[in-house]
Amino acid sequence: MSVLAFAEVAEGKIKKASFEAAYYAAKTAELAGTEAVAVVLGAASNEELASLGAYGITKVYHANDARFANFDSKAYAKAVSEAANSFGASIVVLSFNPSGKLLAPRVAVRLKAGYIAGAGELPIIEGTKLTAGKNVYSGKAKAYLETSTDKKVLAVSPNSLSPVKGSGTASVEAFSPAVSDADFGTVVKSVDKLTGSVPLTEADLVVSAGRGLKGPENWGMIEELAKEMGAATACSRAVSDVDWRPHHEHVGQTGFTVKPNLYIAVGISGAIQHLAGVNQSKVIVVINTDPEAPFFKAADYGIVGDAFEVVPKLIEEYKKFKAA
Amino acid sequence: MKILVPISKVPDTTSKIAFTDNNSKFSTDNVQFIMNPTDEWYALTKAIELKEQQGGEVVVINVGLAENEQIIRKALAIGADSAVRVDFDAADAYQVAEEIASYAKTGGFDLIITGKETIDFNSFQVGGMVAEFLDWNAVSLASVLTVEGNKANVTRDIEGGTETVEITLPAVVGATKDLAQARIPNMKGIMSARTKPLTVVVPTSSGALTKVASFELPSKAKECKYVQADNVGELVRLLHEEAKVI
Ligand SMILES: Cc1cc2nc3c(=O)[nH]c(=O)nc-3n(C[C@H](O)[C@H](O)[C@H](O)COP(=O)(O)OP(=O)(O)OC[C@H]3O[C@@H](n4cnc5c(N)ncnc54)[C@H](O)[C@@H]3O)c2cc1C
């Protein structure tokens, strides 16, 4: 018996979200009194693979097969499930990131495993029963889901844990899953990465603004603050709907869900659908002229004031803080 | 082209969430139910757009009891050709997916378009599970979808950007925002929805694999600490020293 983490690589590097999944797997293995191993599909250096050891993985099974260079949910599901079966894993842990969201349910069906999607904390293990908490109703409540199947699949919501990096290294062993060319049905044609900015869903700090900014020409100060802080920028739907900001910045129930350490909301009223995408942030700061804005109810820190005065001051104060 | 669109019923986005029976059941008191927004706005309308461009048929499927016919009729009013309801109160996503897949096997479908996650459990499970039950290709978080012959080009969200892939049909595509232009049912659609075929089928799925042990509401509202607008330096200090996030 073991706990198996799926660690995803992009351009030879293990994704940040996968280190978190590895850490989650290692902690779960501690709770279950067993060890945590990992499976990696596609090219990566031995050094990169061994670095999973710093998060508690003892051994990495590496399928160094060029066909895995791009994410293909069908072929990946076969390979990860085979790893789980071959290496005696009773729990498989993935990140609830864009690819994990599709891969995890496929793996669960292959293994006929109970699947807990988007777990936000470590599980409770009692005999064959595993229980884990996750946010439901768009963050308005939490559900504890339980499963007692022989094999179990868990996808951990990104930014749920603060992985602690140790000094261990993992051993690496080759793995040749039985996937045929016919299992690969996805061909990547092009990739369009936003350059020069922090990806919103991976950001630790997010600066977001809404209709209170009056017009797209006023976003300069938001971008400047984000740049100073190394934060990603986001916006409300009201703003992306009228094309003041690009759609990939829209957060909320119908946009992206973010879970940064710090979410700064400027000139956003805090409608329930907006909060649904941001209420899992660790700390929320709200800047709004209206003391009655609903967002203050979800805030940790608030400034009742005009964004056009407060944000420039905040940039200045942040610069001072950084220089100190 | 024959397209299947699974639709699910969820509490309206503004619903107040409460639980009964010792926090084990969702309280439906005063809750209005709607079609899951991404199912309706993007998955269903994309299927209708494809049909309008290329001909074919759009079938919606819902796994649920008779009370769900309200959202099924809405899907027909928006433009689906026919509907299937699997008469089953499923206990988890695995059962829902198993039912949808077993119906899909009978139908000669080229494409299944799902929404994103449902706004109740936010679990993002059904599309991937259906794909695996059918051993089909799948792409999720799709914001662009075009079909030519037995190939689909799909643009999907990845961390910090998008990726465009080509997949071979049959396939499952999961929608995200902007996949299609949402539509409001018109009077003609509402009238015709009454007479479009709605078939009720009996469930076949095996047991559920997961269950809800309990629900929990956030313990209490957050206490907001206010900082004066002319004392912004204090906010920076608090974020650093107290909240420790910068
Ligand atoms: C089904 C459904 C789904 C939805 N999904 C989403 C979603 O995913 N994400 C989302 O964001 N919304 C969503 N919405 C829309 C949501 O209900 C709100 O309409 C939207 O979030 C409002 O955006 P806003 O806060 O930018 O604008 P407003 O509500 O207009 O708020 C502007 C705020 O700015 C403040 N303000 C004005 N001037 C200043 C100033 N000078 N300085 C500081 N503050 C100022 C005002 O006091 C006000 O609070 C959805 C709605 C529905 C019905």
Side-chain angles (χ1 to χ4, degrees):
Chain A
M1 182 185 135
S2 65
V3 177
L4 176 74
F6 167 67
E8 188 182 6
V9 288
E11 285 137 31
K13 295 278 171 228
I14 292 166
K15 290 188 175 175
K16 178 185 161 201
S18 292
F19 281 121
E20 188 180 12
Y23 181 74
Y24 188 100
K27 288 285 157 197
T28 302
E30 265 174 39
L31 294 171
T34 178
E35 60 164 358
V37 298
V39 58
V40 173
L41 307 175
S45 70
N46 265 349
E47 194 189 349
E48 184 71 11
L49 298 169
S51 73
L52 282 163
Y55 294 94
I57 298 293
T58 53
K59 190 186 248 181
V60 177
Y61 296 99
H62 182 212
N64 193 3
D65 179 332
R67 294 177 300 175
F68 288 122
N70 293 305
F71 176 66
D72 183 307
S73 68
K74 190 169 147 187
Y76 271 47
K78 287 195 173 153
V80 172
S81 309
E82 183 180 326
N85 284 326
S86 306
F87 311 126
S90 53
I91 302 172
V92 181
V93 179
L94 304 90
S95 174
F96 199 53
N97 67 346
S99 26
K101 283 177 173 177
L102 179 56
L103 180 56
R106 296 197 78 140
V107 171
V109 167
R110 287 195 81 78
L111 299 174
K112 206 164 193 294
Y115 168 41
I116 298 175
E121 55 194 49
L122 290 172
I124 299 153
I125 298 173
E126 296 156 296
T128 57
K129 188 172 88 184
L130 180 149
T131 310
K134 79 168 302 261
N135 283 310
V136 291
Y137 298 103
S138 304
K140 288 186 237 172
K142 196 161 128 187
Y144 290 92
L145 298 177
E146 72 176 51
T147 179
S148 300
T149 47
D150 288 348
K151 291 199 188 301
K152 301 167 180 80
V153 175
L154 275 158
V156 54
S157 186
N159 271 343
S160 292
L161 309 175
S162 309
V164 179
K165 200 171 171 180
S167 57
T169 55
S171 63
V172 179
E173 192 172 299
F175 164 51
S176 308
V179 287
S180 70
D181 286 349
D183 293 323
F184 292 86
T186 310
V187 183
V188 175
K189 297 283 189 178
S190 62
V191 176
D192 192 5
K193 281 245 179 190
L194 306 168
T195 48
S197 58
V198 185
L200 181 55
T201 50
E202 289 195 357
D204 288 331
L205 308 172
V206 174
V207 179
S208 187
R211 204 147 57 183
L213 254 65
K214 315 276 190 277
E217 67 281 4
N218 295 327
W219 248 264
M221 61 183 188
I222 298 297
E223 281 170 354
E224 189 186 343
L225 177 61
K227 192 157 166 255
E228 278 303 321
M229 301 183 73
T233 48
C235 71
S236 70
R237 178 169 165 209
V239 156
S240 66
D241 270 358
V242 292
D243 290 330
W244 288 3
R245 296 300 291 173
H247 280 275
H248 61 248
E249 283 195 358
H250 159 195
V251 294
Q253 191 149 47
T254 48
F256 288 107
T257 303
V258 294
K259 205 174 178 178
N261 290 332
L262 174 61
Y263 184 83
I264 302 181
V266 184
I268 303 177
S269 57
I272 198 158
Q273 298 94 351
H274 184 84
L275 295 181
V278 307
N279 58 12
Q280 295 165 51
S281 307
K282 267 193 200 112
V283 173
I284 295 179
V285 172
V286 170
I287 299 168
N288 198 304
T289 40
D290 177 7
E292 300 296 319
F295 220 143
F296 285 116
K297 290 207 176 68
D300 298 278
Y301 299 99
I303 295 184
V304 178
D306 185 342
F308 297 97
E309 287 163 23
V310 175
V311 175
K313 277 193 212 150
L314 184 53
I315 295 170
E316 200 183 303
E317 291 295 338
Y318 188 81
K319 280 184 180 161
K320 274 196 224 157
F321 157 75
K322 235 176 37 178
Chain B
M1 185 166 33
K2 206 168 162 189
I3 308 171
L4 183 65
V5 180
I7 55 173
S8 93
K9 192 185 77 170
V10 295
D12 179 29
T13 54
T14 53
S15 303
K16 193 163 160 38
I17 304 299
F19 303 102
T20 59
D21 290 24
N22 203 14
N23 278 336
S24 66
K25 276 204 183 72
F26 176 70
S27 163
T28 55
D29 286 356
N30 301 317
V31 171
Q32 207 186 337
F33 287 92
I34 56 168
M35 195 182 331
N36 189 47
T38 57
D39 301 355
E40 175 184 331
W41 299 345
Y42 310 123
L44 175 59
T45 44
K46 185 68 211 183
I48 296 167
E49 282 176 11
L50 286 170
K51 179 196 123 174
E52 285 168 353
Q53 290 156 9
Q54 321 199 345
E57 190 186 338
V58 176
V59 182
V60 292
I61 182 168
N62 171 261
V63 180
L65 303 180
E67 67 215 23
N68 290 8
E69 294 198 358
Q70 164 215 349
I71 65 146
I72 298 174
R73 288 288 172 206
K74 184 173 187 198
L76 293 170
I78 291 171
D81 298 296
S82 64
V84 173
R85 180 172 67 80
V86 183
D87 191 27
F88 184 48
D89 192 12
D92 72 353
Y94 186 86
Q95 289 187 311
V96 172
E98 204 175 8
E99 293 295 346
I100 293 169
S102 87
Y103 175 77
K105 277 179 191 154
T106 67
F109 290 97
D110 306 289
L111 193 58
I112 297 177
I113 310 181
T114 69
K116 204 170 91 172
E117 58 188 36
T118 57
I119 60 172
D120 50 5
F121 273 83
N122 308 102
S123 281
F124 224 110
Q125 301 194 25
V126 170
M129 287 185 173
V130 169
E132 193 58 42
F133 277 120
L134 298 170
D135 199 25
W136 285 8
N137 293 319
V139 179
S140 62
L141 294 168
S143 53
V144 181
L145 164 66
T146 56
V147 178
E148 242 184 274
N150 72 337
K151 301 276 182 204
N153 269 284
V154 190
T155 301
R156 71 171 188 111
D157 288 345
I158 56 174
E159 284 111 333
T162 59
E163 179 180 84
T164 300
V165 300
E166 182 188 87
I167 52 169
T168 307
L169 302 184
V172 177
V173 173
T176 188
K177 63 193 290 277
D178 302 332
L179 184 65
Q181 186 70 45
R183 297 183 185 192
I184 297 163
N186 57 25
M187 196 39 85
K188 187 166 152 255
I190 294 166
M191 297 304 287
S192 68
R194 294 189 190 153
T195 54
K196 284 179 178 173
L198 193 170
T199 315
V200 178
V201 303
V202 293
T204 54
S205 80
S206 48
L209 304 184
T210 56
K211 71 171 196 196
V212 175
S214 61
F215 289 105
E216 191 179 281
L217 287 167
S219 44
K220 69 171 178 61
K222 278 191 186 178
E223 198 65 57
C224 179
K225 196 177 243 181
Y226 287 93
V227 173
Q228 295 305 314
D230 55 7
N231 192 15
V232 178
E234 174 66 3
L235 176 66
V236 174
R237 187 192 69 78
L238 287 167
L239 291 177
H240 179 60
E241 288 174 13
E242 187 178 84
K244 298 188 169 62
V245 288
I246 59 172

